[in-house]
């Protein structure tokens, strides 16, 4: 927080590009100071309301005063208090008390700093997932439409980035979709597994609340339940130290890192396909690909996704190490680290999902290039079909195999040594030995006969797995996304 009265020249200070350049306003707000501190005040209100309902001496007037000032935050005063007290929670207790003089005596009653700190973090994590999930569903939906459109279009498959048996454009896209559907399930599960820290006291024993309620254990349990319910959670962690277990953060960032890996793979495929000139990401009318090479159409959106996804994948190392070094009930070496890694993980995931949505809404397919590449490679792949046809026509399998071996090697030499087109089929047509099947060659080389059940797999996968998974989000599919930069 800036020092009181200090003039802010935003262009003279470092700003994270995650916020200043890329992230959505909604996700940026979710991790904002305003969201955090207004949530602290709501948590103090929930605590006071629950304590009042269980018999503590708290008045309706005090509750109304707190309700009226939830968003009335004097950030300048809070900064001054924090500079003096060196304690962010107490600075905001004092700031809230200043505008709630009647309620001042009961704000934060029985609580520790982690009551507002950790519970707010859990609320923010839950809300972050609720922002990401519809965006992920939209990406899946856009790619599903693309896969459906191109379910039957044959394309050369690659294993080891070497030509392999044919697939279809839509079937390849379904490999991307399947990974993202796993991520959708993982994010849903991670969100639903989140519990509230609740009201647990300084070392998690609830001793302060037991004292407030004069040893009444049932009231302490009910207090925990009431506050948890008010915060919108179904369950609270039954045991905590001063903080909720930092293994929770591992689970959260692990699923986001996994999402990053999926998107990195998808966008790498798109970048490779762009090099092959088979598929390109959208390219704006006035967009410049290179300052030196005007002809270039660089896949900059996919490159951005890969760049940020790498950052997202590495962030899971922070909570892994933090959880490992939390001594006993808590040490404070988690705090500064978590301020960075939790926010950056969600902001980064938000950015790459928005970018991938933009890419998936404007993918351009070049069928003629795809067909040409198939023509270059399919003749070799069709050799087994040619052998079978010759055997059916009365030929000898071994003789035919040797003939094809010689012709295919000659054709390969033309391609590799002379840079020419694959003329294997022309050589077969010119060889009298293959005259019994010359009329069958066109059907034997039909690309659709080499794609197996790819079109049927696409249809079944989209119908039975993908579309049902998107039902909870069907009212949040929205329009096309526009990238700020």
């Amino acid at each position: 927080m800036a020092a009181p009265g200090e003039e802010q020249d935003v262009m003279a200070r470092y700003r994270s590009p995650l916020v200043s350049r890329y992230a959505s306003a909604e996700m940026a707000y979710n991790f904002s100071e305003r969201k955090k501190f207004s949530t602290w005040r709501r948590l103090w209100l929930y605590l006071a309301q629950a304590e009042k309902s269980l018999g503590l001496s708290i008045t309706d007037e005090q509750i109304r005063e707190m309700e009226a000032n939830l968003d009335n935050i004097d950030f300048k005063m809070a900064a001054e208090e924090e500079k003096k007290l060196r304690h962010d929670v107490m600075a905001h207790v004092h700031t809230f008390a200043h505008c709630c003089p009647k309620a001042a005596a009961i704000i934060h009653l029985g609580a520790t700093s982690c009551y507002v700190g950790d519970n707010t973090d859990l609320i923010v994590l839950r809300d972050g997932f609720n922002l990401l999930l519809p965006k992920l569903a939209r990406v899946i939906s856009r790619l599903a439409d693309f896969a459906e459109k191109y379910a039957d279009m044959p394309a050369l498959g690659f294993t080891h980035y070497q030509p392999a048996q044919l697939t279809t454009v839509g079937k390849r896209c379904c490999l991307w979709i399947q990974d993202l559907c796993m991520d959708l399930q993982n994010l849903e599960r991670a969100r639903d597994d989140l519990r509230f820290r609740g009201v647990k006291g300084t070392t998690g024993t609830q001793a302060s609340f037991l004292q407030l309620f004069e040893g009444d254990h049932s009231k302490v349990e009910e207090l925990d339940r009431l506050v948890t319910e008010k915060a919108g959670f179904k369950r609270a962690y039954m045991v905590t130290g001063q903080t909720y277990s930092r293994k929770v953060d591992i689970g959260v960032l692990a699923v986001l890192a996994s999402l990053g890996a999926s998107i990195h793979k998808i966008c790498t495929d798109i970048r490779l396909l762009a090099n092959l000139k088979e598929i390109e990401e959208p390219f704006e009318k006035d967009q410049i690909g290179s300052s030196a090479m005007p002809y270039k159409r660089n896949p900059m959106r996919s490159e951005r996704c890969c760049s940020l996804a790498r950052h997202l994948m590495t962030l899971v190392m922070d909570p892994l190490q933090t959880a490992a070094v939390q001594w006993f009930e808590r040490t404070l070496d988690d705090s500064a680290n978590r301020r960075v890694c939790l926010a950056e993980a969600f902001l980064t995931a938000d950015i790459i999902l928005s970018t991938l949505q933009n890419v998936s809404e404007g993918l351009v397919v070049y069928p003629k290039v795809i067909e040409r590449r198939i023509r270059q490679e399919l003749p070799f792949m069709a050799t087994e079909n040619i052998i079978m046809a010759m055997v059916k026509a009365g030929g000898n399998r071994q003789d035919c195999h040797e003939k094809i071996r010689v012709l295919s090697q000659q054709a390969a030499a033309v391609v590799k040594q002379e840079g020419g087109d694959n003329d294997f089929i022309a050589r077969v047509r010119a060889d009298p030995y293959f005259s019994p099947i010359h009329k069958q060659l066109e059907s034997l080389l039909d690309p659709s006969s080499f794609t197996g059940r790819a079109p049927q797999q696409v249809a079944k996968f989209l119908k039975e797995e993908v579309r049902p998974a998107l039902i909870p989000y069907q009212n949040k599919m929205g329009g096309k996304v526009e990238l700020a930069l």
Side-chain angles (χ1 to χ4, degrees):
M1 196 172 293
E6 180 182 339
E7 290 206 11
Q8 298 294 307
D9 179 356
V10 295
M11 303 309 291
R13 300 171 68 91
Y14 173 79
R15 295 182 298 157
S16 168
L18 293 177
V19 174
S20 66
R21 189 173 178 90
Y22 300 127
S24 68
E26 296 82 4
M27 190 61 79
Y29 173 74
N30 190 51
F31 286 92
S32 69
E33 300 287 87
R34 185 169 294 280
K35 166 77 177 273
K36 178 167 76 170
F37 296 132
S38 64
T39 303
W40 284 11
R41 291 191 175 190
R42 282 172 173 77
L43 288 167
W44 283 320
L45 172 65
Y46 299 155
L47 181 62
Q49 289 173 329
E51 289 174 338
K52 178 181 182 298
S53 71
L54 292 170
L56 293 190
S57 182
I58 296 172
T59 67
D60 289 336
E61 187 177 23
Q62 289 173 314
I63 296 295
R64 287 194 297 270
E65 190 179 53
M66 294 173 74
E67 289 174 332
N69 288 281
L70 292 176
D71 297 305
N72 178 27
I73 303 173
D74 186 338
F75 287 100
K76 181 179 178 181
M77 179 182 178
E80 291 170 343
E81 289 289 333
E82 184 172 352
K83 186 176 182 181
K84 179 174 63 177
L85 302 173
R86 307 299 297 174
H87 197 289
D88 56 350
V89 173
M90 286 309 300
H92 278 270
V93 169
H94 288 194
T95 304
F96 195 21
H98 180 75
C99 58
C100 299
K102 295 184 177 70
I106 55 91
I107 293 172
H108 199 65
L109 183 59
T112 187
S113 297
C114 285
Y115 167 69
V116 288
D118 271 33
N119 282 324
T120 292
D121 285 345
L122 290 161
I123 290 170
V124 167
L125 295 179
R126 177 197 63 193
D127 294 351
F129 278 127
N130 285 335
L131 289 172
L132 292 179
L133 282 163
K135 293 191 175 191
L136 177 52
R138 284 197 291 271
V139 171
I140 293 170
S141 175
R142 304 305 191 264
L143 290 175
D145 292 341
F146 179 86
E148 189 170 50
K149 181 177 180 180
Y150 294 101
D152 300 325
M153 181 180 284
L156 185 65
F158 289 94
T159 58
H160 315 274
Y161 202 35
Q162 301 298 314
Q165 284 291 329
L166 300 193
T167 182
T168 70
V169 173
K171 170 62 190 299
R172 174 178 283 144
C173 183
C174 283
L175 300 180
W176 304 341
I177 295 170
Q178 181 168 250
D179 286 353
L180 293 176
C181 284
M182 293 180 192
D183 293 313
L184 189 73
Q185 291 178 330
N186 289 340
L187 264 65
E188 288 173 337
R189 183 171 59 250
R191 177 199 59 189
D192 295 343
D193 282 349
L194 286 175
R195 301 189 193 185
F196 202 51
R197 178 189 177 274
V199 287
K200 298 296 196 296
T202 54
T203 57
T205 65
Q206 299 177 302
S208 57
F209 297 105
L210 192 62
Q211 184 177 359
L212 275 175
F213 290 104
E214 299 178 348
D216 191 330
H217 290 267
S218 63
K219 284 191 175 182
V220 175
E221 289 187 8
E222 181 64 3
L223 178 70
D224 204 0
R225 190 194 68 78
L226 285 173
V227 175
T228 298
E229 185 179 81
K230 287 176 182 291
F233 285 81
K234 295 179 180 178
R235 297 181 299 170
Y237 295 107
M238 294 185 70
V239 294
T240 72
Q242 188 171 88
T243 69
Y244 67 79
S245 171
R246 294 311 184 217
K247 282 185 71 68
V248 174
D249 296 342
I250 298 173
V252 169
L253 265 64
V255 298
L256 297 181
S258 182
L259 171 65
S262 299
I263 293 179
H264 197 293
K265 183 266 193 292
I266 293 167
C267 290
T268 299
D269 283 358
I270 292 172
R271 292 164 66 189
L272 293 169
L273 289 167
N275 173 261
L276 297 174
K277 297 180 174 60
E278 292 190 8
I279 292 178
E280 284 184 346
E281 65 178 39
F283 199 87
E284 306 298 334
K285 176 177 176 291
D286 297 321
Q287 183 174 332
I288 294 175
S290 167
S291 62
M293 295 167 279
Y295 62 87
K296 293 194 76 179
R297 292 170 64 95
N298 299 333
M300 51 82 67
R301 293 169 174 83
S302 298
E303 290 174 314
R304 178 188 299 175
C305 284
C306 289
S307 181
L308 291 171
R310 286 201 298 273
H311 178 60
L312 178 56
M313 287 186 282
T314 65
L315 288 173
V316 72
M317 290 305 300
D318 276 339
L320 279 168
Q321 295 184 65
T322 295
V325 299
Q326 284 297 284
W327 303 346
F328 303 116
E329 281 65 48
R330 192 266 170 96
T331 55
L332 194 61
D333 59 340
D334 64 339
S335 179
N337 185 285
R338 294 176 70 252
R339 287 176 190 266
V340 176
C341 70
L342 295 180
E344 288 202 355
F346 278 86
L347 289 164
T348 306
D350 177 72
I351 295 159
I352 60 178
L353 282 173
S354 295
T355 308
L356 184 56
Q357 181 185 336
N358 177 268
V359 169
S360 62
E361 287 171 346
L363 285 172
V364 181
V365 177
Y366 296 105
K368 296 299 182 183
V369 178
I370 294 173
E371 290 170 11
R372 184 178 185 278
R373 183 156 285 107
I374 289 173
R375 287 198 303 271
Q376 286 291 311
E377 301 293 343
L378 189 60
F380 295 147
M381 297 177 190
T383 54
E384 187 67 20
N385 290 7
I386 293 172
I387 292 174
M388 293 301 100
M390 280 295 295
V391 170
K392 288 180 181 178
N396 178 281
R397 196 263 177 201
Q398 270 52 257
D399 293 341
C400 184
H401 183 280
E402 178 59 22
K403 282 277 189 182
I404 286 178
R405 186 188 70 81
V406 172
L407 295 181
S408 62
Q409 300 242 357
Q410 292 170 351
V414 170
V415 173
K416 295 178 181 180
Q417 297 173 19
E418 301 176 21
D421 290 336
N422 188 333
D423 63 358
F424 172 71
I425 296 302
R427 293 175 184 273
V428 171
R429 289 187 189 279
D431 192 326
Y433 174 82
F434 294 99
S435 59
I437 64 165
H438 279 170
K439 292 182 180 179
Q440 299 180 46
L441 285 176
E442 187 171 341
S443 62
L444 289 173
L445 291 167
D446 178 6
S448 64
S449 67
F450 289 82
T451 59
R453 296 192 65 253
Q456 292 74 23
Q457 288 179 347
V458 171
K460 185 178 179 66
F461 174 59
L462 295 181
K463 179 182 178 181
E464 297 185 12
E465 291 196 25
V466 179
R467 304 296 186 192
L470 300 179
I471 290 174
Y473 307 98
Q474 58 189 2
N475 295 326
K476 298 180 180 180
M477 289 302 174
K480 289 189 174 183
V481 67
E482 297 295 333
L483 298 185
L485 288 171

